[in-house]
Amino acid sequence: MLSTRPSVALLGATGSIGTQTLDVLRRELDSFDLVAIAGGQRLAQLAAIAKEFDVSNIGVVSNDDRVSLQAMVGPSVNIVVGAEGLTELSMCADVVVNAVVGFAGLPVTLSALQAGKRLALANKESLIAAAPLVAKVRTTGGAEILPIDSEHCAIHQCLAGSPDEPGHPDVRRLLLTASGGPFRGWTKHQLSSVAKSDALKHPTWSMGPKITIDSSTLMNKGLEVLEASALFGIEVDRVDVVVHPQSIVHSMVEYVDGSVLAQLSEPDMRLPIAYCLGSPVRFNHGWGRLDFSQALHLTFEAPDREAFPALDLAYAAARRGGAAAAWLSAANEIAVDAFLNDQISWSRIVPLVADVMDGFDDEPLTSLEELFENDATARRIAHGMVIGQ
Ligand code: NAD
Ligand code: MG
């Protein structure tokens, strides 16, 4: 029985999604065999995970890290380094969980699909930046993407009964729900002086710092519009955003006959993670189970597009196509990083991304080389703007 357990590679094992995936795996030791992990820092945590799950392959970012970690785990563990290491680990398991944050997760997405694996995808940035390239490798035999992002996992479930026709003609639109973040209802004036500690306090989810800041600007929802379009092959004009502060309805699909299907639970990422690992099997854990014996208030409202312009920036990037989404995501990574390092204010994050996008000149995106060039250019321009503040 043990030999038939699907093997799992968990890349980004020390982060928010990573540790919640470990929680799921702990409860499903008979179902999965964790064979590879990777992380950007926190070597002691990687060593502890390797020991607990008897993992024999670990990815780290530098040679120095490799030497330090090898001393902790002993010579029998195979340690690989950098993007090349991530590529190797992404091909070594049946199920690859991409829980790396940012563009650094690109080798995981591309290699897992190229190798015909199931990709349980949390790392939205790689899909958004490389959408045309991902579309190509996704056709590899055996390759599939199961979305961990809660909204997309909800849509995946709501689409289950829809015929798998290109463009989903029976779907009128996808409705992505958004909590609205910590600054929902704030005016432009109030938003001009927000504190970092407030931006890092998400009302309904506990997540890594980058996505928490993205949620506060609504850039996360903008990126998710692009993510939904790429995942489900539906143009962005059929993807709408609706603010739902309770984060219980994780997203919805409206069909052409008027039916709206939704997926509900208390916010708990272990539910979508377990869905992606097990699908079509559903594990009996009841994560995020709702208690309908209590009153349940669900409210929906339109997003404030003026106070949160990130949303329209994302739609604009989607309509321009080519490398525009790669520019948007790269510029945003630099801006969020600069905010977290106290180099720019919160209210400068999205305008900085908009300024970078002003310089975008309809670059195509047909190869990996073009993607790396565009990513580097957008980062250089964004960085220059941070330095020149
Ligand atoms: P996090 O910052 O908590 O964790 C990121 C992980 O990536 C860490 O393990 C870090 O060590 C690793 N990492 C960073 N750079 C790396 C590199 N170069 N090589 C190898 N590992 C590297 O982030 P998170 O909140 O867990 O988010 C991860 C991804 O999942 C993001 O793309 C995010 O948008 C997405 N996501 C997260 C949540 C959530 O609830 N946290 C929900 C939906 C989607
Ligand atoms: Mg999400």
Side-chain angles (χ1 to χ4, degrees):
M1 150 140 195
L2 283 186
S3 60
T4 60
R5 285 183 303 166
S7 54
V8 175
L10 172 56
L11 310 174
T14 57
S16 163
I17 293 291
T19 47
Q20 294 181 87
T21 304
L22 291 171
D23 248 16
V24 173
L25 293 175
R26 243 174 232 121
R27 297 276 288 271
E28 285 299 331
L29 291 174
D30 291 340
S31 306
F32 299 103
D33 182 16
L34 183 62
V35 297
I37 55 174
Q41 331 104 344
R42 303 197 196 148
L43 300 184
Q45 196 179 334
L46 282 174
I49 299 166
K51 190 167 173 222
E52 180 186 349
F53 288 88
D54 196 17
V55 175
S56 46
N57 300 285
I58 311 182
V60 292
V61 289
S62 70
N63 250 318
D64 285 353
D65 284 353
R66 185 179 59 76
V67 173
S68 309
L69 186 61
Q70 199 85 66
M72 294 183 211
V73 295
S76 63
V77 175
N78 172 39
I79 304 183
V80 295
V81 177
E84 233 171 78
L86 285 180
T87 299
E88 192 182 321
L89 300 183
S90 305
M91 301 190 299
C92 79
D94 301 314
V95 181
V96 178
V97 181
N98 190 352
V100 174
V101 62
F103 190 68
L106 181 72
V108 180
T109 294
L110 292 180
S111 314
L113 294 173
Q114 242 153 10
K117 308 295 186 186
R118 168 177 290 195
L119 174 65
L121 182 68
N123 177 281
K124 62 193 83 178
E125 295 92 343
S126 58
L127 173 64
I128 291 160
L133 309 180
V134 172
K136 276 189 219 160
V137 289
R138 210 174 163 181
T139 58
T140 312
E144 59 175 345
I145 307 181
L146 273 292
I148 287 180
D149 210 354
S150 55
E151 297 77 3
H152 307 76
C153 188
I155 290 170
H156 192 270
Q157 296 178 60
C158 296
L159 284 175
S162 158
D164 195 16
E165 285 176 47
H168 289 281
D170 60 341
V171 169
R172 189 180 310 279
R173 57 183 178 151
L174 308 180
L175 288 152
L176 288 178
T177 51
S179 72
F183 306 132
R184 183 176 62 89
W186 286 37
T187 61
K188 253 191 155 171
H189 177 68
Q190 287 172 305
L191 288 171
S192 63
S193 57
V194 311
K196 186 156 113 183
S197 54
D198 290 333
L200 282 169
K201 253 185 249 141
H202 195 274
T204 49
W205 296 98
S206 163
M207 309 179 286
K210 196 253 173 188
I211 184 174
T212 303
I213 299 305
D214 284 348
S215 300
S216 75
T217 59
L218 253 60
M219 182 60 88
N220 182 51
K221 211 48 58 179
L223 295 176
E224 289 186 351
V225 169
L226 289 155
E227 181 185 7
S229 173
L231 274 172
F232 303 112
I234 288 179
E235 64 275 22
V236 286
D237 294 316
R238 286 201 288 149
V239 183
D240 280 344
V241 172
V242 51
V243 173
H244 165 54
Q246 297 82 15
S247 298
I248 284 181
V249 174
H250 296 300
S251 277
M252 302 176 271
V253 174
E254 181 185 328
Y255 284 90
V256 288
D257 63 358
S259 276
V260 176
L261 266 57
Q263 183 256 336
L264 285 72
S265 77
E266 293 287 351
D268 188 332
M269 287 308 293
R270 291 173 302 179
L271 173 49
I273 291 167
Y275 174 85
C276 292
L277 292 175
S279 178
V281 172
R282 286 183 186 267
F283 298 118
N284 184 7
H285 300 301
W287 278 306
R289 241 187 118 199
L290 285 164
D291 178 2
F292 284 102
S293 69
Q294 304 297 313
L296 188 59
H297 296 285
L298 304 179
T299 60
F300 302 92
E301 64 199 43
D304 182 346
R305 306 184 97 98
E306 206 193 316
F308 297 96
L311 214 45
D312 285 337
L313 265 184
Y315 278 97
R319 289 183 193 114
R320 289 191 77 167
W327 275 55
L328 180 88
S329 187
N332 181 57
E333 272 192 52
I334 297 292
V336 170
D337 214 45
F339 169 68
L340 287 170
N341 290 318
D342 301 311
Q343 291 170 289
I344 63 170
S345 65
W346 182 90
S347 59
R348 181 71 190 121
I349 298 174
V350 176
L352 193 149
V353 177
D355 289 349
V356 173
M357 294 311 291
D358 280 344
F360 177 71
D361 200 12
D362 290 317
E363 298 289 337
L365 185 54
T366 54
S367 68
L368 202 52
E369 292 70 36
E370 278 174 356
L371 174 57
F372 283 127
E373 269 171 37
N374 277 285
D375 175 75
T377 306
R379 276 169 206 271
R380 186 170 34 75
I381 298 171
H383 204 250
M385 288 177 181
V386 170
I387 304 292
Q389 292 295 304

